[in-house]
């Protein structure tokens, strides 16, 4: 969306397939979408040609997917999660914590509990975790005194690898060395995992994204450090890496890819056009708002283009513009009130769209409860 010239009096033309609906509640809104999608499929529209794209995934994502499944509609969902919510991310977080505090038993046991760590030494890992559970002490040094010589050497190697990782200036090489010592079963190029870890297909795709994004972040940080620390006298800052990884999101898909309605983000819907796109929850409550910028993160955000902070509001406006310009039937919808009866306010891009195009919202009354399809 762009700033409208108020001197113009003629409304800007948008496609005839763009519409705006309001519903009494979120539940009514979701039911209507499920009913409309089922009707489209019943009239011969291929499910692949239909996309539902909520901005607020936590409020709408699973509820829409469940409503579609209840209506016997095949659905595939695409969602985002933090890198640290993936198996690869949890490994890195535990390694950072252990390398920072090498005598703490908690990070060590979390690291050893990760299925990516030492899959070929399961007996050693299991015995170590059992011993850790029996001990009252929370120190690695105490645990090392209660295991056999080979297991002690195994633990020492892991702790040392984590310490070297957090103190590495070249973290691009550092994370690869860490994975090697931990016995993480990656392919030769380090971009994916071998069959030694029994991941399902969609988990394997998710973890491949995670390791690829990790490699990108580590490479960019190493380049930045080399550029800003020519003299080599600057101490490595592992918290810089932690903050960078915290900002990484991983997209995951669940469900059958073919002949299915896709539930995904509006940005994905805008770049993968469908014939019918439904965008629910276009209120100030359910669309991105200006983030609170933390002071400690600003140096990282400003240090390299890869770590530049996103502007979610500008991104939302851009996505709205893409969707309204798409060659598709696009239905924006919003609930009118929450469970307490308090009104929702339409998102700014919607109000701007109404103003510059003359688009008017139609209120849809949910006359029927969920039907049996």
């Amino acid at each position: 969306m762009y700033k409208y010239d108020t001197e113009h009096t003629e409304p800007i033309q948008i496609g005839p397939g763009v519409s705006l609906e309001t519903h009494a509640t979120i539940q009514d809104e979701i039911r209507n979408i499920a009913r409309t999608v089922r009707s489209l499929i019943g009239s011969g529209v291929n499910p692949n040609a239909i996309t539902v794209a909520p901005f607020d995934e936590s409020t709408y994502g699973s509820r829409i997917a469940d409503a579609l499944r209840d209506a016997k509609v095949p659905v595939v969902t695409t969602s985002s999660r933090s890198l640290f919510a993936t198996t690869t991310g949890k490994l890195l977080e535990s390694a950072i914590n252990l390398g920072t505090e090498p005598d703490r038993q908690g990070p060590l046991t979390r690291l050893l509990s990760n299925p990516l760590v030492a899959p070929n030494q399961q007996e050693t890992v299991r015995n170590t975790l059992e011993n850790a559970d029996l001990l009252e002490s929370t120190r690695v040094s105490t645990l090392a005194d209660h295991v056999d010589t080979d297991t002690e050497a195994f633990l020492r190697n892991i702790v040392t690898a984590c310490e070297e990782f957090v103190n590495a200036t070249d973290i691009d090489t550092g994370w690869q060395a860490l994975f090697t010592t931990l016995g993480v079963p990656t392919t030769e190029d380090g971009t994916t995992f071998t069959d030694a870890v029994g991941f399902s297909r969609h988990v394997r795709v998710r973890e491949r994204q995670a390791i690829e994004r990790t490699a990108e972040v580590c490479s960019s940080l190493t380049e930045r450090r080399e550029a800003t620390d020519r003299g080599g006298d600057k101490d490595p800052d592992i918290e810089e890496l932690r903050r960078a990884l915290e900002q990484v999101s991983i997209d995951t898909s669940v469900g059958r890819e073919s002949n299915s309605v896709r539930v995904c983000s509006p940005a994905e819907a805008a770049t993968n056009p469908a014939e019918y796109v439904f965008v629910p929850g276009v209120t100030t409550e359910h669309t991105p708002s200006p983030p609170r910028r933390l002071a400690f993160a600003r140096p990282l955000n400003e240090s390299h283009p890869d770590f530049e902070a996103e502007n979610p509001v500008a991104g939302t406006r851009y996505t709205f513009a893409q969707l309204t310009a798409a060659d598709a039937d696009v239905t924006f919808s919003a609930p009118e009130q929450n469970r307490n009866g308090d009104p929702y306010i339409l998102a700014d891009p919607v109000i701007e769209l109404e103003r510059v195009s003359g688009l008017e919202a139609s209120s849809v009354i949910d006359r029927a409860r969920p039907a049996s399809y």
Side-chain angles (χ1 to χ4, degrees):
M1 304 295 286
Y2 57 89
K3 186 174 178 57
Y4 182 58
D5 187 348
T6 55
E7 294 181 2
H8 290 175
T9 57
E10 290 295 324
I12 294 174
Q13 296 298 314
I14 59 175
V18 178
S19 61
L20 174 62
E21 298 177 351
T22 61
H23 302 262
T25 65
I26 291 175
Q27 291 87 341
D28 292 335
E29 182 185 18
I30 291 173
R31 276 196 295 265
N32 186 75
I33 290 174
R35 195 155 35 239
T36 303
V37 168
R38 189 69 186 94
S39 178
L40 286 171
I41 295 174
S43 67
V45 176
N46 191 310
N48 282 344
I50 304 172
T51 296
V52 185
F55 281 98
D56 186 351
E57 180 186 315
S58 62
T59 298
Y60 282 91
S62 61
R63 294 167 74 177
I64 287 173
D66 289 343
L68 290 172
R69 292 188 184 103
D70 289 344
K72 308 303 181 187
V73 172
V75 59
V76 56
T77 60
T78 302
S79 59
S80 296
R81 65 171 64 194
S82 165
L83 173 70
F84 283 152
T86 67
T87 306
T88 302
K90 290 175 181 176
L91 182 156
L92 289 165
E93 186 176 31
S94 297
I96 291 172
N97 291 338
L98 180 58
T100 305
E101 298 181 85
D103 201 31
R104 278 187 60 210
Q105 187 175 289
L108 174 64
T109 55
R110 283 192 292 273
L111 187 62
L112 292 177
S113 299
N114 192 298
L116 293 175
V117 174
N120 295 326
Q121 295 178 271
Q122 293 182 3
E123 187 68 25
T124 300
V125 170
R126 183 165 53 253
N127 290 338
T128 301
L129 293 175
E130 288 175 354
N131 275 287
D133 285 339
L134 295 173
L135 294 174
E136 293 184 3
S137 173
T138 59
R139 295 187 177 279
V140 173
S141 54
T142 303
L143 175 61
D145 290 338
H146 288 77
V147 296
D148 60 55
T149 304
D150 290 341
T151 301
E152 180 183 0
F154 170 74
L155 297 180
R156 299 294 183 195
N157 286 339
I158 288 179
V159 172
T160 300
C162 292
E163 288 184 284
E164 291 175 349
F165 174 58
V166 301
N167 291 312
T169 300
D170 182 354
I171 52 177
D172 189 21
T173 301
W175 77 265
Q176 297 177 60
L178 173 69
F179 275 37
T180 298
T181 301
L182 295 180
V184 178
T186 58
T187 54
E188 287 187 13
D189 59 4
T191 60
T192 190
F193 299 103
T194 67
D195 293 335
V197 179
F199 287 147
S200 64
R201 185 189 60 81
H202 81 272
V203 172
R204 184 177 294 276
V205 171
R206 181 192 73 198
E207 296 304 322
R208 175 165 186 161
Q209 281 190 64
I211 199 171
E212 288 175 347
R213 295 302 306 277
T214 296
E216 292 169 6
V217 168
C218 291
S219 176
S220 296
L221 268 180
T222 298
E223 289 177 9
R224 191 194 69 80
R225 287 180 177 180
E226 291 174 349
T228 58
D229 187 26
R230 299 288 185 187
D233 55 356
K234 186 177 179 180
D235 291 333
D237 180 11
I238 194 60
E239 293 306 314
E240 184 180 42
L241 173 61
R242 190 197 300 270
R243 292 193 294 270
L245 294 175
E246 283 176 345
Q247 298 183 47
V248 175
S249 296
I250 304 298
D251 294 329
T252 59
S253 294
V254 178
R256 188 181 67 194
E257 292 284 347
S258 61
N259 295 318
S260 296
V261 173
R262 179 168 293 277
V263 178
C264 63
S265 70
E268 183 179 346
T271 55
N272 296 278
E275 293 180 31
Y276 299 89
V277 180
F278 298 87
V279 187
V282 289
T283 70
T284 55
E285 181 81 13
H286 303 108
T287 55
S289 56
R292 181 169 171 262
R293 299 294 184 203
L294 300 177
F296 70 78
R298 287 174 189 156
L300 175 64
N301 295 147
E302 296 169 359
S303 66
H304 193 282
D306 286 353
F307 306 131
E308 184 177 351
E310 294 183 355
N311 184 338
V313 176
T316 298
R317 296 175 70 86
Y318 179 67
T319 300
F320 264 93
Q322 286 181 298
L323 291 169
T324 56
D327 186 18
D329 283 346
V330 181
T331 302
F332 297 103
S333 63
E336 296 170 357
Q337 60 186 22
N338 62 20
R339 291 180 178 178
N340 297 324
D342 300 322
Y344 286 117
I345 299 172
L346 289 176
D348 288 345
V350 178
I351 295 174
E352 186 78 356
L353 180 62
E354 288 182 309
R355 187 169 70 86
V356 302
S357 68
L359 180 68
E360 294 183 357
S362 61
S363 180
V364 179
I365 300 175
D366 186 27
R367 295 186 176 86
R369 290 302 165 189
S372 176
Y373 296 101

